[in-house]
Every structure is written in C-alpha cells, then in structure tokens.
Amino acid sequence: MEVVRRSLCPAALLCAWLLLGSGWGLGPPGIGAAYVLDDAGGLGREFDGIGAISGGGATSRLLVNYQEPYRSQILDYLFKPNFGASLHILKVEIGGDGQSTDGTEPSHMHYENDENYFRGYEWWLMKEAKKRNPQIKLIGLPWTFPSWIGKGENWPYDYPHVTVYYIISWILGAKRYHDLDIDYIGIWNERAFNSKYIKVLRQSLDKLGLSNIGIIAADGDWNVSKEMVVDPYLNDAVQVVGAHYPGTKTVPNALLTQKKLWASEDYSTFNDEVGAGCWARILNQNYVNGNMTSTIAWNLVASYYEELPFGRCGLMTAQEPWSGHYKVEAPIWITAHTTQFTQPGWSYLQVDGHLEGGGSFVALTDGLGNLTIIIETMTHNHSKCIRPPLPHFRVSPQRATFYLRGSFYFLKTLQVWHSRLSFESANSSLFEQLHPVKVWRGSFSLDLDVDEVYTLTTLKTGRKCSCPEPPPPQPFPSNYKDDFNIRNPPFSEAPNFADQTGVFEYFVNGSDPGDHVFTLRQVVIQRPITWVSDADQTISIIGNFQWVNLTVTCDIYIERPLDGGVFIAGRVDNGGIYVRRTKGVFFWVYADGTYRVTSDLAGEEILMKGLSGVRHNAWHTLTLNIQGTSASGLLNGYPLWENVTISQPSNGWAAIGTRSFEFAQFDNFHVEAR
C-alpha cells in the first residue's frame, strides 16, 4: 500500500493495514477510513458530462469582440480536450429578444414572417466549440420569446403548436445554416412548464425525424417529476429531468421517473477561490447526494460588463475585448479534474461517496479497464455557492485508503492530479501533476488535507496547457467612436454595445444613399414574452461604469411618427434584471417636437423639458455633456438646454435607446470621457 504525501514505516504500515481491514480508524494525522471500489456487482448511473451555459443572458456578449489570438485562446481554455476546462456540454440561450439576466439576446424570428439564423453569437460559439471538440453535446433553451408567439399574452403555452414551430425552426436552422446537430432542447428557463406543450414538442420532433433530440424538463425545481410519475405519456416525452441549484439533493419522485437527473443549471458564483470550492463540491456531491449525472454551470465565461448583475460568475473572465486581457480563473482547473479524465458514456461505480472526515469522492469507469477517482475536501465557508443556503458541516484532515476490487484489482499505478485552494494567500496550487501512486495488492492510501481536490486515474492524457500571457488590463477607451460602416458585419450587433431591453442591430438604410447608409437600428417593436420585468423603453449600454465626466454624441433617426422618441445617456447605473430601476442622465427627443432631460430610464423624474423642433424621418445630432454636478445638451451642434443640476448617480455607462418598443436608428456614436 502506498500513502501519498506522508510516509509510514513498515511496522506502522502493517498496523494501519490491520486496523483499516478491521474497520478501525487511524490516529494522527486525522481520521482514517477505508473505501472499496468494485465493479463486479454492476455499475451505477451513466455519466452524462460537465457543461456550462452561454446565455441567460448575453453572458458571452463581449467575447466575440476579442481580437485574435486572444479569442481563440479563451475558446481553447473552455472547449479544447486535455487543455483546460475541456467541457463536455455547451448549453446556449435560444434568444427571444427579452432581458434574461445581463442583457437581451436576439431571436431568429423577431416576427412571424421573419427568419434569420445569423443573429447574435450563439451559432458562432457552438461552431467554435464543435471545432475543438466534435463530441461536445449542444443544448438549446429559451428564456424569453418574441411577442408574436403569445399573440398578445405574456405566455408561450396558449398556442403550443406555434411555440413548437418556433423552437423547431431554431433546431432546423442550426442544422441547415451552421451544420449543428442539437442534442437536447429545454422548455422555458425557470418558469412554469406545460405538459401539453412538452408532449406536442415530443410528437413534432419525432414526426420530423428528430427523435434523437432529448427533451429536458423543466429547468426549474423538481416539480415536473410529480406529473411525470402519474402521466406515462409525459414521462415518455421527457429524456432528462433537469433542476436548477438543487443543493446536491434530489426528490423521490425524480428517482421514480427512472430518467436521467441533471443539475441543468448550477454554480452561479463569483469565480474566486470560494467559487472554485463551490464548483468542486457540487461536481462531486450532485451525484453522491442526488444521483445527478450532469452538472452545468451558469455561466460559461464572464464576458459582460462586471457591474451588471452577477458580475464574474463565469468559469473564467473575459470582459475586456478592447485590451485583449482575460483571466483563467480557478474554476477552469477544478473543472479539468473531472472533464479531462472522464467522458459521457462512462459509468459511476456503486459506492456511497461520503468521506469519513467530510468531503466526498466519485469513481467512474469506461468499462474497458480505465478508472478515475475524484476527491474533494472542501470546507463549509470555502465552498458556499450563491444558492441555495448551505447547511453547516465539518471537514477534517484524514487518511483515506481505497481498496480496488473486481477488474481494478490488478492495477499497478494511478496518475495523480492535485489542487489545493488557498484562502489566506494567493498561493493556491491548481491542477498540478504529482508522482503516480503505486497500488499494492489492490490498495493505496492518501493523506487528505482540507480544501483539496485530487484526481487519481489510469489515463495519462491529462494536460495543464497554457497560452502566452494576455495583455494587461486596461479601462474602456476614454475616446470611443463607431460609425457602424460595415458592409458585411461578422455579427449582427455592434462591438461593445450591450442591449438591456430591445435589440440593436446593424442595418442597411436603403432610403438614405448619403451619410447614413449603414446604421444601428433598434428592431423590436412589440414587448417580448418576458422572463423578468423588461423596461418599457429599450436601452443599450456601453463603456466604463466608472465614468463621471463625459460627452456623448450620436446621430439619431426617429421612425415612429407622433409618439416616437429616442435618447442618449450618461452615468447609467443599472442594467440586467434590474433594468427598470435604471438611473442616469437621459437626453430625450420626441417626434412631436419636444425634448426632456430625466434622471431615470422610465422618464418620470424630469429635470428639464421644452421644444426642440425634432421630427420623425429626419436625421439629427444629439450631444450630452456631463461635467461634475451639471449637464447640458446640444441639438445639431447648437445649445438646446444647459446648467441642469445632477445629483445622482455619480458615475455610470453611456447609453442609447428609444421611448418604447419602436424602430429607430443611430449613427456616428462618439463618447469622450475626461
């Protein structure tokens, strides 16, 4: 028997063998216990893989704007096998034009007679993932839906065949235009499910020869399983029961369905060492405590403005495309402990998985002689996820002895990978390869300290790869311009703009052969079926949240007569799920020839108002200047209002937007901060 990290003299070794074989514990350095890994009596559940979510929403927004080689380096850390996180699953939002946490993602069908399978960046991201790992599984899930699906109601289930048509169009578009095969499809993220809709979706998929696509239900709590156990048709329609943030626990009804059980969204935690500890604990314990065979992190990469809700809740951070800076955070390497040494289709061994001194382990095999064991000893305060509340528990240093039985008895060595998370200093050791452990007569021992992760495996393919250091971090440029003059843009959205309500897309303005042929247009003219309470106004933010003194200039074009309107803004302080409460300095002009200055997006806190002479279907230039506690505005280069006193907020982004869900265009955007 070999003891890793501590040695025993031969006499002590014999004593330990006898005590452990008799069920006795060891003395110092801690608790000792024995665990048997045996495949002779059959295997446990099939492992379905570890994944992450792009979406819910707009969490990969800034990633697409990175220049090479940095963009490809980030993608390699996420998806490339035996490189970094080496993810098995990518789950993406089916954009529905509505706010879904940190922004809106555009739909492939804004309207019933409108189809475009090149909007947004999720198609691109799925293709990049497939380039790196052709075996990666792809999942689509809606958070919001375009208005036409509900026919005036904020509800997607009244006309199930319409919703099914919309979802299947996305699946077929993925294949036709991008050669992407979708493996699983969801219902409606963290909202009510509808049994009839699920059955219609299943029937429609089968009729179209898409029976290989599994349905995940219901991406909320476990309640769908209550209906599944009493409705055999519903049970047959669903392939995976997926719950969000289950706290590593399942419920009896979910087990009774005899379906795959997944933590189909989990983690959602700041990506420091505590976040890595959360991730390490749930990756193991979702199976040990809850029989869940897949865990999917929200989110894939924190590639959105950090001051939006849930900033840096990704496996890594890439929020500076203007500088090229990114950071490979600890959760990437915690992921690698599982993903680099297992694959979907492997099976868990039938073993309890709880360590005597606290912590957990899982063991998996490919059925061909390979064995992987992942051990975590994360302590309570160093592994709290953002949700749900974590009951108190204790973890102590301990010695663990593993007895390999069945087909594993004759193994001679195991490769060892180790991480230790440090919380008092910046000295964490992440995904380091140690000397192999020798297996003596089917057993070996480990001395386990707290806040550690071990992988022991027969596989020799693990690698901790690294790219050259990215450029250092830099703030958003203080002088930034965009004239949107791109004839064939690679993406539908302009760089660095982050839509919070509405969708702003590149547009070719055929009615203006002059200076405004290529513009940015707000294109959602009906309130979508919402996931959260979108604002009544559309807004897209950009820049540095720390900006105080700035000048924003933009050409604007109101398309809606009579009650249409647009704004430019500075010191914008909010977005995401909190977009309705957004404050700032907003300079509005309306099609009826009036203007207003307000301190809120809702337009209710009026600081100044008057006549402007602006009309629809004509280009005008707005300028907003904010300096200290004073603001002024220009129309077409001439002062329109000045010396408006600003008290709050003291800093924030720049923004553009519209009075309502309406067509409007923007051009020659320029922001200068001082």
Side-chain angles (χ1 to χ4, degrees), residues 69-116:
Y70 312 116
R71 189 171 73 175
S72 288
Q73 291 170 5
I74 296 163
L75 293 166
D76 285 349
Y77 279 118
L78 295 169
F79 300 120
K80 191 174 181 179
N82 298 309
F83 190 93
S86 306
L87 292 168
H88 304 133
I89 297 169
L90 172 60
K91 181 175 180 177
V92 303
E93 177 175 353
I94 300 174
D97 296 338
Q99 172 61 243
S100 51
T101 296
D102 288 294
T104 64
E105 299 204 24
S107 171
H108 59 288
M109 297 177 73
H110 294 316
Y111 314 105
E112 195 166 4
N113 59 353
D114 161 70
E115 291 185 66
N116 184 328

Side-chain angles (χ1 to χ4, degrees), residues 486-532:
I486 302 180
R487 185 172 297 275
N488 295 300
F491 298 99
S492 60
E493 300 156 295
N496 304 319
F497 281 91
D499 304 346
Q500 300 302 308
T501 297
V503 171
F504 295 73
E505 296 180 350
Y506 282 117
F507 180 65
V508 178
N509 185 5
S511 64
D512 188 336
D515 297 332
H516 301 288
V517 175
F518 301 105
T519 67
L520 194 68
R521 191 189 199 199
Q522 200 295 118
V523 296
V524 177
I525 60 173
Q526 293 176 308
R527 187 183 185 86
I529 295 175
T530 56
W531 186 72
V532 292

Side-chain angles (χ1 to χ4, degrees), residues 29-151:
I31 299 167
Y35 311 94
V36 177
L37 304 181
D38 191 350
D39 61 350
L43 300 173
R45 289 181 173 238
E46 184 177 298
F47 174 65
D48 294 309
I50 305 303
I53 301 169
S54 172
T59 53
S60 305
R61 176 68 195 93
L62 298 174
L63 174 61
V64 297
N65 306 141
Y66 270 81
Q67 299 299 307
E68 297 294 352
Y70 312 116
R71 189 171 73 175
S72 288
Q73 291 170 5
I74 296 163
L75 293 166
D76 285 349
Y77 279 118
L78 295 169
F79 300 120
K80 191 174 181 179
N82 298 309
F83 190 93
S86 306
L87 292 168
H88 304 133
I89 297 169
L90 172 60
K91 181 175 180 177
V92 303
E93 177 175 353
I94 300 174
D97 296 338
Q99 172 61 243
S100 51
T101 296
D102 288 294
T104 64
E105 299 204 24
S107 171
H108 59 288
M109 297 177 73
H110 294 316
Y111 314 105
E112 195 166 4
N113 59 353
D114 161 70
E115 291 185 66
N116 184 328
Y117 297 93
F118 295 91
R119 293 187 182 118
Y121 41 82
E122 303 296 6
W123 314 104
W124 165 83
L125 185 61
M126 287 189 282
K127 287 189 288 188
E128 293 294 328
K130 278 283 188 181
K131 281 182 193 175
R132 289 160 174 79
N133 177 9
Q135 305 306 313
I136 197 167
K137 301 295 184 184
L138 300 177
I139 304 173
L141 174 66
W143 270 250
T144 72
F145 299 86
S147 175
W148 61 270
I149 285 176
K151 297 188 179 182

